[in-house]
């Protein structure tokens, strides 16, 4: 049985994951409008992954006997000045999500909630990958700079994500 504070925090994290899904969909539409359909596809898949993360919380809360609290999802930013700016925002966002996952882990330790602690371990590992992906793409974009050919090549590469 989940304690009240833990239940509230898990619901908040579920909401944050739905927001992540929204944010990456907004980023996907930005790249679509800039004719970078490969990066747009990468972002759309990322958005679907985030929906999956939110649903992991949804399923866990229900399984642990908790009540789902679907709250309003904040409107994401919808315009950027460059691909570099988008991936800077992506990395910043993932770092924020990592922090909130860590806060949840701390809470599970404080509350001696071992089941939730084990559930959260998947997210701890996942966040390492999330930050690494965003950081790697951002570094490549910085190297490319204003070279259009470089950006089109990156678009082609990221479009291979399945
Ligand atoms: Fe759900 O990991 Fe990104 O936000």
């Amino acid at each position: 049985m989940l304690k009240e504070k833990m239940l509230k925090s898990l619901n908040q994290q579920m909401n944050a994951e739905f927001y992540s899904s929204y944010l990456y969909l907004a980023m996907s539409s930005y790249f679509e409008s800039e004719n970078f359909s490969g990066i747009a596809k990468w972002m759309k898949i990322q958005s679907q992954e985030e929906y999956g993360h939110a649903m992991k919380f949804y399923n866990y809360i229900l399984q642990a006997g908790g009540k789902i609290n679907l709250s309003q999802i904040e409107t994401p930013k919808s315009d950027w000045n460059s691909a570099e700016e988008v991936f800077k925002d992506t990395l910043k966002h993932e770092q924020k999500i990592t922090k909130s996952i860590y806060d949840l882990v701390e809470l599970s330790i404080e509350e001696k909630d071992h089941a939730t602690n084990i559930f959260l371990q998947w997210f701890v590992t996942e966040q390492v990958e999330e930050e690494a992906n965003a950081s790697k793409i951002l570094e490549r974009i910085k190297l490319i700079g204003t070279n259009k050919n470089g950006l089109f090549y990156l678009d082609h590469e990221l479009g291979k994500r399945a």
Side-chain angles (χ1 to χ4, degrees):
M1 190 69 184
L2 295 165
K3 290 200 183 130
E4 204 181 316
K5 194 171 171 194
M6 179 56 83
L7 176 61
K8 194 171 165 212
S9 303
L10 288 169
N11 267 301
Q12 275 168 352
Q13 188 61 36
M14 175 185 68
N15 188 263
E17 302 286 348
F18 278 128
Y19 172 75
S20 299
S21 177
Y22 238 38
L23 176 66
Y24 293 136
L25 194 58
M27 288 173 172
S28 176
S29 72
Y30 163 78
F31 283 115
E32 210 68 77
S33 68
E34 294 289 308
N35 296 315
F36 287 117
S37 57
I39 313 180
K41 184 184 169 198
W42 191 94
M43 279 294 180
K44 202 193 272 179
I45 293 172
Q46 190 61 29
S47 169
Q48 287 161 356
E49 258 196 21
E50 297 296 353
Y51 178 82
H53 293 173
M55 291 309 290
K56 273 185 192 282
F57 279 96
Y58 176 94
N59 290 328
Y60 179 72
I61 292 167
L62 285 181
Q63 207 177 20
K67 191 175 179 311
I68 293 293
N69 182 8
L70 291 170
S71 48
Q72 196 169 352
I73 302 169
E74 195 190 321
T75 305
K77 183 172 163 181
S78 59
D79 210 8
W80 289 266
N81 289 313
S82 63
E84 182 173 338
E85 198 180 285
V86 177
F87 278 93
K88 271 186 182 159
D89 280 1
T90 302
L91 181 59
K92 223 187 308 167
H93 180 68
E94 288 306 328
Q95 286 165 339
K96 196 172 140 201
I97 292 290
T98 301
K99 191 189 172 305
S100 60
I101 295 287
Y102 283 13
D103 288 346
L104 269 172
V105 172
E106 299 276 325
L107 182 63
S108 72
I109 294 167
E110 261 169 48
E111 295 198 341
K112 297 187 170 50
D113 184 343
H114 301 294
T116 301
N117 185 280
I118 288 170
F119 165 72
L120 291 169
Q121 295 309 311
W122 184 89
F123 286 92
V124 171
T125 309
E126 175 69 6
Q127 281 312 117
V128 175
E129 196 188 308
E130 295 278 74
E131 283 193 32
N133 286 342
S135 171
K136 201 165 74 188
I137 297 170
L138 178 60
E139 288 313 312
R140 282 182 70 184
I141 290 174
K142 280 184 185 167
L143 275 176
I144 289 166
T146 51
N147 179 337
K148 282 242 181 305
N149 283 345
L151 263 184
F152 279 110
Y153 180 72
L154 182 69
D155 184 60
H156 176 72
E157 284 292 297
L158 294 186
K160 289 180 188 162
R161 185 175 184 181

